[in-house]
Amino acid sequence: MRPSAAPADSAADLADGAPCEPHGALLADHDDPTIFFHCAWGVAHMKKCPDPLHFNPVLAVCDWPQDAGNPAAGKEPDVS
């Protein structure tokens, strides 16, 4: 049985296994441009783009960093 929590409305609220919607959505992580979340049947699944690609939130694909336009690209990854 899944916990009944409100679904995340952005990737900032997501962690692997967290509730999310809509089904099939691909959401960029706000701290790491290589990470994105795939919402499948209400559950977020963390995915990572192959090195050296970044997640492109407009096209919802892994893309070359200079083309991805990912707002997290200028941030240092959170390693905590």
Side-chain angles (χ1 to χ4, degrees), residues 10 25 47 52-53 55 66:
S10 74
K47 311 277 179 147
L53 304 180
F55 183 71
Q66 66 272 17

Side-chain angles (χ1 to χ4, degrees), residues 14-79:
L14 290 179
D16 200 36
C20 72
E21 59 182 36
H23 173 68
L26 299 174
L27 303 171
D29 183 81
H30 291 300
D31 294 320
D32 185 337
T34 65
I35 300 291
F36 65 98
F37 294 91
H38 175 220
C39 295
W41 304 110
V43 178
H45 300 277
M46 187 174 71
K47 311 277 179 147
K48 184 167 177 58
C49 291
D51 199 32
L53 304 180
H54 287 186
F55 183 71
N56 182 324
V58 174
L59 300 177
V61 298
C62 293
D63 204 349
W64 296 111
Q66 66 272 17
D67 298 330
N70 190 312
K75 295 181 179 180
E76 291 295 321
D78 182 15
V79 293

